[in-house]
Amino acid sequence: MALFGNLGGLFTSDMAIDLGTANTLVYVKGRGVILSEPSVVAYHVKDGVKKVLAVGEDAKLMLGRTPGSIEAIRPMREGVIADFDTAEEMIKHFIRKVHKRSTFSKPKIIVCVPHGATPVEKRAIRQSVLSAGARRAGLIAEPIAAAIGAGMPITDPTGNMVVDIGGGTTEVAVLSLGDIVYARSVRVGGDRMDEAIISYLRRQQNLLVGEATAERVKTSIGTARMPDDGRGQSMQIRGRDLLNGVPKEIEISQAQVAEALAEPVQQICEAVMTALETTPPDLAADIVDRGVMLTGGGALLGDLDLALREQTGLAVSIADESLNCVALGTGKALEFEKQLAHAIDYDS
């Protein structure tokens, strides 16, 4: 029986991909999320010819540290494909990694796209997935996938509000009866927060740090509101002193990080407020009862739920597996394709 189980696993190679700006997650039908790696590809360039050197985790370590002959590229920008060929290589690599043995099967793949993606951007994603070896490529809107992954009852005739904060975009959506009533995609996410930390340190401390350091600050002591004691935790960071050009180490406190992140956090709050203002009154009443659900990696920013609660006056909760929500939701759309057929687009 175990043998037949394995054979079944070989043949059902259909998968769902959360093609994120920061990370790509792959969900295989019947097996769950089995791959989560950074969306980075490193190339070795010799005489104008590019050769893939590393993809995912290994390539991310090279970001900002490459010699002239090696390029580390992030093919996704703000939730959509910025570098077509590199994205195709990355998807191919992840498909091969997931299906080590079954090279003969062409999977059906469902990919989530930001709500604000243009028809041209959607076509680029679909084309990349098909070129990477998919039999069919379906697209599902990211807010729907996030809400399904967070376990929200989106098929009921009640209003549900989901805020998905990814690496490149924040999707704010109100859902009812399995579809989007209102959605807005703002180009603010984890990357914008990293940039805000870099520019704050440059302005206030005359210290130049790289993206990797900014991300470490954000994940270690990042917070969306001022600590109660006016300082909070602190950590040591290293960078280049802009005044005399030598490497230098300084201490940065949570209060400083909160100050640095004030603008991106405010933009997320404003997007939520705009969504609430444009929601039909009956659905708005449901949202008062049910509250707002935060998903995505950005939802893990310290005290973001409290900052949103202060702005909106609503109950704000963070999804259990907020990092994997979109991938899990896209995977469920693959498992229950008949019930969610209206949400999956196979032909645009």
Side-chain angles (χ1 to χ4, degrees):
M1 282 307 286
L3 173 68
F4 285 114
N6 286 343
L7 280 173
L10 277 179
F11 292 118
T12 59
S13 58
D14 294 350
M15 56 178 89
I17 299 179
D18 170 12
L19 205 55
T21 308
N23 297 295
T24 296
L25 288 87
V26 179
Y27 177 109
V28 174
K29 197 168 184 176
R31 289 167 64 195
V33 176
I34 60 170
L35 182 132
S36 170
E37 294 217 18
S39 306
V40 186
V41 180
Y43 282 113
H44 187 274
V45 186
K46 191 178 179 186
D47 304 329
V49 179
K50 283 182 172 183
K51 185 166 172 258
V52 177
L53 192 65
V55 180
E57 208 64 67
D58 302 336
K60 190 181 180 180
L61 296 173
M62 301 180 189
L63 274 178
R65 293 191 166 93
T66 55
S69 59
I70 296 173
E71 263 185 83
I73 301 168
R74 292 177 62 179
M76 307 296 293
R77 273 272 167 251
E78 298 180 336
V80 291
I81 292 177
D83 187 321
F84 196 75
D85 298 332
T86 309
E88 200 176 301
E89 284 296 336
M90 183 176 80
I91 298 165
K92 264 187 198 151
H93 174 88
F94 290 146
I95 292 175
R96 275 202 298 270
K97 197 165 181 179
V98 167
H99 291 292
K100 295 181 184 77
R101 303 152 299 180
S102 56
T103 45
F104 55 84
S105 59
K106 280 192 145 214
K108 175 168 67 180
I109 296 179
I110 296 180
V111 187
C112 63
V113 291
H115 175 73
T118 64
V120 174
E121 289 167 338
K122 286 180 183 175
R123 203 172 306 128
I125 290 177
R126 188 190 302 282
Q127 206 47 57
S128 281
V129 172
L130 289 170
S131 306
R135 180 174 80 245
R136 283 184 85 195
L139 304 179
I140 183 169
E142 211 167 290
I144 295 179
I148 296 170
M152 297 172 85
I154 64 160
T155 49
D156 295 356
T158 50
N160 296 279
M161 186 174 204
V162 65
V163 180
D164 178 48
I165 307 161
T169 57
T170 293
E171 311 269 323
V172 182
V174 176
L175 305 151
S176 176
L177 293 167
D179 215 341
I180 294 171
V181 177
Y182 168 90
R184 181 157 176 247
S185 183
V186 284
R187 305 259 158 145
V188 181
D191 288 353
R192 192 62 63 84
M193 292 176 190
D194 295 345
E195 284 164 23
I197 291 170
I198 291 170
S199 62
Y200 175 85
L201 288 169
R202 189 191 289 137
R203 275 195 326 271
Q204 302 289 335
Q205 306 282 340
N206 289 316
L207 186 78
L208 189 63
V209 297
E211 283 177 24
T213 303
E215 191 180 357
R216 205 171 69 247
V217 169
K218 179 185 71 183
T219 50
S220 305
I221 61 167
T223 178
R225 58 202 283 277
M226 273 292 167
D228 296 333
D229 63 355
R231 180 174 162 75
Q233 295 168 285
S234 59
M235 67 182 282
Q236 299 287 330
I237 55 165
R238 299 181 190 93
R240 191 172 84 224
D241 189 332
L242 287 168
L243 296 177
N244 54 21
V246 297
K248 153 174 138 175
E249 184 175 57
I250 64 157
E251 188 178 64
I252 183 170
S253 69
Q254 265 186 320
Q256 289 171 303
V257 181
E259 200 182 318
L261 295 176
E263 195 186 341
V265 167
Q266 187 55 37
Q267 285 174 299
I268 293 169
C269 291
E270 279 168 13
V272 174
M273 292 300 286
T274 310
L276 291 168
E277 282 165 22
T278 45
T279 302
D282 288 344
L283 291 178
D286 293 337
I287 293 167
V288 172
D289 289 345
R290 291 162 176 268
V292 177
M293 180 68 81
L294 295 183
T295 68
L300 301 174
L301 180 70
D303 286 348
L304 183 59
D305 51 339
L306 292 178
L308 272 170
R309 197 173 299 165
E310 283 167 7
Q311 286 261 351
T312 61
L314 295 171
V316 179
S317 49
I318 299 169
D320 292 341
E321 288 190 65
S322 61
L323 264 174
N324 297 354
C325 264
V326 175
L328 290 169
T330 314
K332 278 187 188 157
L334 187 66
E335 306 270 6
F336 303 104
E337 208 176 325
K338 284 192 174 69
Q339 294 92 310
L340 293 162
H342 65 279
I344 305 167
D345 169 19
Y346 275 113
D347 27 53
S348 69

